[in-house]
Amino acid sequence: MIECTAPLTMDLVKQQFQDKEMFFLIDVKNSQLKGKDLLVYIANLELNCELSFDGCSFEEKKEILKSYMDLNTLNTLNSLSINLAVLVLHSVGIDWFEFVDNPALSKEEAQEFLDENKELFDKWNTFLTSTMIYQISSIEFLENEMEVSAKYPHIDDINYIGKNVVNLFSIPGFLNTYYSLPSKFPVYYFKQQFEEHIFKGKSLFHYFLNEENSTYLMLHALIEGKPELEKLNVSSV
C-alpha cells in the first residue's frame, strides 16, 4: 500500500499505468484535489485506492460525501460506500454506526448532514425503495405475468440519482436491512436506471445480482426451483 496525496506524482502515475494492482491510500486532508475533483480524478485514472479521512474537517468530509452521492462517475471506494450505507440507513431510522469501524461522521454530524441534504437522501431512498419492483421487472417471466413496468409511474431521467448508488448493493447486510422496514417513500419504475447500460457501460442487474442480495437470489431460486442463474431468462448484464 502506498500512502499519498492527490494528484499523484508523475512517477506514481507512470507506475500505476504499468501495474494496475498498485494500491493507494489517499490522504484527503492534505490532497490538493478535493470533493468532486478528487473523485473524478480517481475514476479517470482507475486508481486502485481508498481514502483516509484522518484530520479532515467536518466540511471536508461533507463535501466528498455529497459529491459521491451526486456524481455521475462511478467510484468503487469502500470507504465512501460503507459510510453512505450508514447514512442512508440512519435516514430511515436504522442505526448502523456500531457495525462500521471509525465512521467518517459522528451521529450528530450525520444528522446535520442529513438535514442539509434531505432532498438528495429522499431521492436515494425513493430509488432504493423502487428496486423492490426491479427485482420483478428484471425477470422476464414475472414481468410478463405481473406487468410491473406498466403499473407504476415512470421516471425517465438518467440524472435522477448519482451512479454510486449501485455500490450499496454489495455491502454485506445492507439491502436485507433496508428492506426490513416498511418504506415511507413512493415507488417508481426508473426507465433509464432499470433498462439501460448506464453504470459504467453495465446494467443495474450487473450490480444488483450479487451474493449479498439474498432476497434477489432467493427469488431466482424459487422461480426455477434451482439456484443456477443460467437457467433463468433474466435481463442481460
Side-chain angles (χ1 to χ4, degrees), residues 123-139:
K123 283 188 172 184
W124 274 54
N125 280 309
T126 296
F127 180 78
L128 288 167
T129 298
S130 298
T131 61
M132 288 189 285
I133 67 166
Y134 176 73
Q135 296 184 95
I136 298 171
S137 68
S138 64
I139 301 174

Side-chain angles (χ1 to χ4, degrees), residues 195-209:
E195 296 182 5
E196 304 301 329
H197 289 61
I198 64 171
F199 300 99
K200 205 172 182 179
K202 298 184 183 297
S203 70
L204 182 62
F205 179 78
H206 174 83
Y207 299 92
F208 199 66
L209 183 67

Side-chain angles (χ1 to χ4, degrees), residues 78 81-83 85 96 167-175 210 212:
N78 287 333
S81 57
I82 290 172
N83 273 288
W96 241 35
N167 293 324
L168 298 184
F169 302 150
S170 60
I171 295 174
F174 173 78
L175 275 178
N210 67 77
E212 298 302 336

Side-chain angles (χ1 to χ4, degrees), residues 32-158:
Q32 294 180 25
L33 299 176
K34 303 288 186 181
K36 178 181 177 180
D37 291 337
L38 176 57
L39 295 179
V40 170
Y41 177 80
I42 290 170
N44 286 343
L45 286 184
E46 298 183 340
L47 293 181
N48 184 21
C49 69
E50 281 300 339
L51 304 180
S52 170
F53 299 110
D54 290 348
C56 284
S57 67
F58 182 30
E59 293 301 319
E60 287 173 318
K61 290 184 284 188
K62 285 195 298 183
E63 180 185 10
I64 198 163
L65 287 166
K66 186 174 186 299
S67 296
Y68 185 75
M69 295 183 75
D70 279 328
L71 206 61
N72 279 324
T73 301
L74 197 59
N75 291 84
T76 53
L77 294 164
N78 287 333
S79 49
L80 289 178
S81 57
I82 290 172
N83 273 288
L84 254 298
V86 171
L87 291 169
V88 168
L89 290 174
H90 190 62
S91 74
V92 294
I94 301 175
D95 186 347
W96 241 35
F97 284 86
E98 65 184 82
F99 298 110
V100 178
D101 293 331
N102 193 27
L105 303 181
S106 67
K107 288 185 181 180
E108 293 74 19
E109 290 173 334
Q111 189 58 54
E112 182 176 334
F113 183 66
L114 292 174
D115 291 342
E116 290 177 358
N117 297 284
K118 183 180 183 303
E119 182 178 352
L120 186 54
F121 276 94
D122 283 351
K123 283 188 172 184
W124 274 54
N125 280 309
T126 296
F127 180 78
L128 288 167
T129 298
S130 298
T131 61
M132 288 189 285
I133 67 166
Y134 176 73
Q135 296 184 95
I136 298 171
S137 68
S138 64
I139 301 174
E140 187 173 340
F141 167 75
L142 290 181
E143 172 61 20
N144 289 340
E145 289 292 318
M146 302 175 69
E147 297 182 336
V148 168
S149 62
K151 290 181 179 177
Y152 290 88
H154 282 215
I155 291 181
D156 189 0
D157 180 1
I158 197 171

